[in-house]
């Protein structure tokens, strides 16, 4: 399949004049259209001009605006506002002219959430508070700007609150990559503490946001901290609750400017116990984990790694004489860890090792490091790891069947089998086990024939998303937010999203625009029930477009220039 042909068939005719008018309107409000990178006559920017640049048709710049998903579309216009006023002007005018708009923050997302061939707002330099963060020690809260790094919040909270409180949401990515508060909230992220503390939605007390119309609004939570029911993105107007929509809303319902976060109390570090459980026998462990979930035993950390052969790396030290094929890391007070260990022991025999906090930290880092490594059956081959159905939430007892299904499908589509699986147990206070999976893509094959390999990747992503939904009732991206897949997942409810758009409750999304364009190209009427027989084919085309177009300057390319 040729990416060019596909995109040229889409109808962008109406949007081009609107984009030109949009630039003109912003220039009238004080923005400056920036020189092309080939023009050497670039004046230094004075501090008062910062944030007023509109970077238009800049190939180099737009190539840098990518998340970690390989799903990219290079934006025609990029803005990097520094003030709320600048951002407000952009959002308001984009709304009035129906310009597809997205927002980027730390750029560590795994779903192409801000991929956009039209207008991208990079929030990295936006400052909305006099200080990046302020503590309210009495109430154990922190007020922070959207651009503050989560790694910094994790560090400063622990120091300032004397090890009595932690920043409640600690995604693995934040330990290695620049995850920011706005991105964290907009993806409703969770991480290594999610078994006990749940995702960030449990801890947001207040937010200042810009709505799709440009209006600024303060939103306060109306449920008890820490006991928030899992927020569901609404499927009807009567369920629409702006606070819940914004959290995990991927910028569709508004931009997070700053937020007040409740900090999570933790037991005295001296009372913490750390364990590694491990074994080679899988026969009982999934039942034991199911029982732990049923009994609601939720340690502060509860991570797993398993392998079809033997777990490589540091984990081998746990049992030098025996093959280790699964390992569980837990951390909490002895009350919780004892209950966990006793439940597992009731089901079968396994190794149990008590660890010091520094030993535990090493193992935990080895586990989180798996998120950016590739383990394949052939150590001579180099692989890139593509997301697409990379976090699968299910009952522990389904883990093995789903893992086997994935390897079966990988074989059908000529990808090598996975040998290591890892993830969170008791994900988000007992919702299930979260299995992390990436597609291993051979680097030299990708370099030799990218379009062929992108098509192969698009096909396995579409196959697995459809199969998991239809056969296992599992929705991928339970942790990482749905990004460019959002409207495919919501394909039976398109009229609802169109009504939100019409009422100014939703930003005009490029993902919706491209999805609808493909629907009409395939003869699918947006107002009829979506024909499931065409769902997989549409997702192949959609994913391929995001994968393949990144190799071109996709705004010009999509716009047919
Ligand atoms: C190796 C690796 C490990 C990961 N581990 C985890 C993990 O353990 N847990 C987890 O939950 N995620 C994980 N992720 C995914 C990612 O780190 C999270 O989704 C993170 O919260 C994204 O934040 P960001 O600042 O990078 O946002 P971005 O990637 O910049 O944006 C993500 C989405 O949020 C929107 N957005 C960003 N800022 C705003 C704002 N201020 N207002 C409105 N919308 C906004 C964007 O439009 C986009 O849709 C991992 C990713 C990688 C690469």
């Amino acid at each position: 399949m040729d990416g060019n042909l596909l995109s040229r068939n889409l109808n962008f005719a109406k949007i081009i004049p609107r984009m030109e008018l949009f630039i003109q309107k912003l220039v009238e409000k004080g923005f400056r259209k920036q020189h092309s990178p080939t023009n050497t006559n670039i004046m230094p920017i004075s501090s008062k001009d910062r944030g007023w640049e509109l970077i238009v048709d800049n190939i180099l710049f737009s190539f840098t605006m990518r998340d970690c998903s390989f799903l990219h579309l290079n934006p025609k216009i990029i803005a990097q506002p520094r003030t709320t006023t600048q951002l407000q002007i952009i959002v308001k005018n984009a709304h009035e002219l129906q310009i597809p708009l997205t927002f980027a923050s730390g750029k560590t997302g795994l779903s192409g959430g801000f991929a956009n061939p039209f207008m991208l707002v990079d929030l990295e330099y936006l400052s909305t508070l006099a200080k990046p963060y302020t503590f309210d020690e009495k109430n154990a809260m922190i007020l922070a700007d959207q651009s503050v790094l989560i790694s910094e919040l994790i560090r400063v909270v622990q120091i300032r609150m004397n090890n009595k409180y932690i920043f409640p949401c600690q995604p693995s990515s934040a330990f290695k990559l620049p995850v920011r508060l706005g991105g964290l909230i907009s993806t409703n992220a969770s991480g290594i503490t999610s078994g006990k503390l749940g995702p960030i939605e449990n801890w947001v007390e207040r937010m200042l946001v810009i709505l799709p119309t440009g209006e600024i609004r303060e939103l306060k939570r109306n449920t008890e901290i820490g006991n928030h029911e899992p927020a569901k993105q609404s499927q009807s107007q009567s369920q629409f609750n702006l606070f819940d929509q914004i959290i995990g809303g991927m910028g569709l319902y508004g931009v997070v400017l700053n937020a007040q976060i409740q900090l999570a109390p933790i037991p005295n570090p001296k009372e913490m116990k750390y364990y590694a459980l491990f074994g080679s026998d899988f026969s009982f462990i999934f039942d034991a984990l199911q029982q732990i979930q049923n009994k609601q035993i939720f340690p502060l950390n509860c991570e797993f790694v398993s392998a079809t052969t033997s777990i490589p790396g540091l984990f081998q030290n746990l049992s030098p004489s025996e093959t280790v094929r699964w390992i569980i890391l837990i951390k909490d007070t002895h009350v919780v860890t004892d209950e966990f260990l006793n439940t597992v022991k009731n089901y079968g025999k396994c190794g149990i090792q008590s660890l010091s906090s520094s030993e535990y930290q090493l193992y935990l880092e080895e586990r989180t490091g798996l998120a950016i490594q590739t383990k394949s059956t052939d150590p001579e081959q180099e692989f890139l790891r593509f997301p697409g159905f990379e976090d699968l939430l299910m009952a522990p007892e389904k883990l093995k069947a789903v893992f086997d299904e994935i390897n079966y499908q990988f074989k059908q589509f000529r990808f090598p089998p996975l040998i290591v699986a890892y993830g969170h147990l008791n994900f988000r206070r007992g919702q299930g086990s979260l299995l992390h999976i990436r597609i291993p893509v051979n680097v030299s094959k990708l370099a030799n024939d990218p379009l062929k390999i992108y098509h192969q990747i698009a096909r396995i992503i579409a196959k697995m998303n459809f199969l998991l939904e239809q056969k296992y009732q599992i929705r991928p991206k339970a942790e990482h937010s749905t990004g460019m897949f959002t409207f495919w997942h919501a394909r039976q409810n398109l009229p609802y999203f169109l009504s939100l758009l019409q009422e100014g409750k939703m930003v005009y999304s490029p993902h919706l625009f491209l999805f609808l364009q493909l629907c009409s190209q395939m003869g699918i009427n947006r107002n009829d029930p979506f024909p499931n027989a065409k769902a997989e084919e549409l997702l192949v085309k959609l994913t391929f477009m995001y994968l393949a177009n990144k190799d071109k300057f996709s705004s010009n390319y999509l716009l047919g220039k």
Side-chain angles (χ1 to χ4, degrees):
M1 191 192 297
D2 174 3
N4 271 320
L5 289 177
L6 176 66
S7 1
R8 284 192 194 290
N9 285 342
L10 301 180
N11 180 9
F12 289 86
K14 283 191 191 152
I15 218 159
I16 298 169
R18 294 212 303 266
M19 299 273 291
E20 295 304 330
L21 190 57
F22 176 63
I23 295 172
Q24 197 186 315
K25 289 254 178 207
L26 293 193
V27 169
E28 281 165 19
K29 302 277 178 202
F31 281 86
R32 279 189 330 155
K33 195 170 153 182
Q34 218 198 41
H35 299 280
S36 118
T38 49
N39 185 339
T40 49
N41 184 21
I42 296 176
M43 301 291 286
I45 297 168
S46 69
S47 58
K48 75 172 174 31
D49 286 338
R50 294 232 165 92
W52 289 104
E53 309 92 47
L54 281 183
I55 302 147
V56 182
D57 291 338
N58 186 320
I59 301 171
L60 294 178
F61 212 102
S62 78
F63 256 71
T64 64
M65 294 289 144
R66 308 176 155 201
D67 68 6
C68 299
S69 68
F70 302 99
L71 299 159
H72 307 295
L73 298 167
N74 297 318
K76 180 176 176 64
I77 314 172
I78 301 164
Q80 296 186 304
R82 306 236 164 187
T83 66
T84 307
T85 310
Q86 291 166 341
L87 177 61
Q88 215 177 357
I89 295 172
I90 296 167
V91 174
K92 190 167 178 294
N93 281 279
H95 170 70
E96 284 168 8
L97 289 167
Q98 296 196 333
I99 302 298
L101 186 64
T102 47
F103 310 95
S105 188
K107 308 172 191 75
T108 71
L110 286 163
S111 310
F114 59 76
N116 188 349
F118 306 105
M119 170 78 205
L120 174 66
V121 182
D122 179 13
L123 301 170
E124 191 171 331
Y125 305 103
L126 175 72
S127 163
T128 70
L129 293 167
K131 285 194 204 165
Y133 50 82
T134 315
F135 279 92
D136 170 357
E137 287 167 15
K138 193 164 146 247
N139 295 306
M141 291 201 193
I142 190 167
L143 169 68
D145 217 325
Q146 55 79 35
S147 65
V148 175
L149 293 175
I150 299 305
S151 52
E152 184 165 4
L153 292 177
I154 292 172
R155 189 172 52 81
V156 294
V157 167
Q158 208 144 348
I159 296 170
R160 181 72 165 262
M161 302 304 282
N162 259 331
N163 271 326
K164 293 192 174 116
Y165 289 85
I166 56 170
F167 188 75
C169 180
Q170 311 200 347
S172 317
S173 42
F175 294 93
K176 321 250 178 215
L177 300 166
V179 179
R180 295 175 194 277
L181 184 65
L184 187 88
I185 293 175
S186 308
T187 55
N188 192 20
S190 52
I192 54 169
T193 54
S194 101
K196 187 167 207 136
L197 304 180
I200 193 66
E201 71 187 352
N202 279 341
W203 303 94
V204 182
E205 179 65 26
R206 189 193 66 78
M207 289 180 284
L208 192 69
V209 300
I210 293 193
L211 300 182
T213 51
E215 182 195 336
I216 294 186
R217 180 91 61 88
E218 184 177 76
L219 303 172
K220 288 192 178 141
R221 76 179 301 118
N222 48 18
T223 51
E224 203 185 322
I225 278 280
N227 278 331
H228 194 64
E229 282 296 303
K232 296 210 171 43
Q233 291 293 309
S234 71
Q235 296 296 315
S236 70
Q237 289 276 12
S238 61
Q239 295 170 345
F240 193 92
N241 170 327
L242 194 52
F243 189 90
D244 287 351
Q245 291 295 121
I246 296 272
I247 301 178
M250 301 167 285
L252 284 175
Y253 309 101
V255 190
V256 178
L257 298 178
N258 55 60
Q260 188 163 35
I261 309 291
Q262 177 77 53
L263 306 175
I266 48 159
N268 184 335
K270 288 188 188 138
E271 290 168 21
M272 276 303 183
K273 301 284 175 203
Y274 307 86
Y275 288 99
L277 292 76
F278 51 92
S280 59
D281 178 7
F282 281 108
S283 62
F284 68 93
I285 192 63
F286 297 116
D287 290 338
L289 292 176
Q290 187 68 53
Q291 179 64 357
I292 282 166
Q293 189 175 301
N294 297 346
K295 285 167 76 178
Q296 303 199 337
I297 307 168
F298 299 150
L300 187 58
N301 289 170
C302 192
E303 299 291 299
F304 79 93
V305 182
S306 71
T308 48
T309 50
S310 137
I311 300 180
L314 192 64
F315 296 118
Q316 284 175 341
N317 296 347
L318 286 168
S319 177
S321 57
E322 205 194 343
T323 308
V324 175
R325 289 171 67 210
W326 61 262
I327 169 166
I328 296 170
L329 296 170
I330 56 170
K331 160 182 168 181
D332 210 308
T333 59
H334 77 91
V335 179
V336 182
T337 53
D338 284 357
E339 216 186 337
F340 193 103
L341 297 178
N342 289 336
T343 308
V344 174
K345 280 192 230 160
N346 277 342
Y347 278 79
K349 256 184 81 185
C350 67
I352 295 176
Q353 191 159 318
S354 167
L355 303 169
S356 68
S357 78
S358 51
E359 285 169 332
Y360 180 84
Q361 198 54 36
L362 278 180
Y363 283 115
L364 192 64
E365 276 177 27
E366 180 90 348
R367 144 64 193 100
T368 54
L370 286 171
I372 46 176
Q373 290 171 20
T374 308
K375 303 272 183 235
S376 94
T377 40
D378 183 352
E380 296 299 309
Q381 303 277 343
E382 299 261 359
F383 289 89
L384 277 176
R385 297 153 43 84
F386 277 65
F389 48 97
E390 75 285 359
D391 52 350
L392 309 176
L393 179 60
M394 67 197 90
E397 58 198 11
K398 279 190 184 172
L399 275 169
K400 180 144 185 0
V402 171
F403 190 77
D404 291 346
E405 174 84 72
I406 290 166
N407 268 344
Y408 172 78
Q409 295 297 341
F410 276 178
K411 198 169 171 194
Q412 304 303 306
F413 285 85
R414 297 175 187 278
F415 290 103
L418 292 173
I419 55 168
V420 177
Y422 60 91
H424 313 296
L425 298 172
N426 292 335
F427 177 68
R428 299 188 176 178
R429 297 162 66 105
Q431 287 183 28
S433 301
L434 191 87
L435 177 64
H436 284 302
I437 293 286
R438 304 281 177 88
I439 308 161
V441 176
N442 185 296
V443 173
S444 55
K445 285 187 186 162
L446 181 64
N448 285 339
D449 195 348
L451 286 185
K452 181 176 162 203
I453 302 298
Y454 287 143
H455 191 227
Q456 197 182 343
I457 299 168
R459 283 173 56 227
I460 184 87
I461 289 177
K463 173 68 158 193
M464 286 311 301
N465 272 276
F466 193 61
L467 193 70
L468 288 163
E469 176 193 275
Q470 299 286 313
K471 182 170 166 189
Y472 295 95
Q473 289 75 53
I474 290 175
R475 184 147 152 189
K477 297 197 175 281
E479 188 176 51
H480 297 156
S481 83
T482 46
M484 60 139 284
F485 300 90
T486 301
F487 298 100
W488 184 83
H489 283 301
R491 61 192 181 276
Q492 298 301 356
N493 210 5
L494 290 178
Y496 163 62
F497 288 100
L498 293 169
S499 72
L500 289 183
L501 198 59
Q502 218 158 31
E503 290 171 27
K505 288 182 175 170
M506 195 173 98
V507 169
Y508 199 61
S509 159
H511 308 311
L512 180 61
F513 179 83
L514 294 171
F515 181 83
L516 292 176
Q517 289 282 316
L518 276 180
C519 284
S520 65
Q521 192 196 63
M522 290 173 66
I524 300 166
N525 185 335
R526 61 176 75 175
N527 295 313
D528 291 343
F530 192 96
N532 257 346
K534 291 191 176 175
E536 198 177 319
E537 185 192 343
L538 188 139
L539 191 54
V540 173
K541 291 185 176 193
L542 190 68
T543 311
F544 181 75
M545 187 173 5
Y546 282 77
L547 286 170
N549 274 330
K550 75 184 165 68
D551 285 345
K552 300 278 184 306
F553 179 35
S554 52
S555 58
N556 279 348
Y557 163 70
L558 280 170
L559 298 174
K561 286 188 187 167

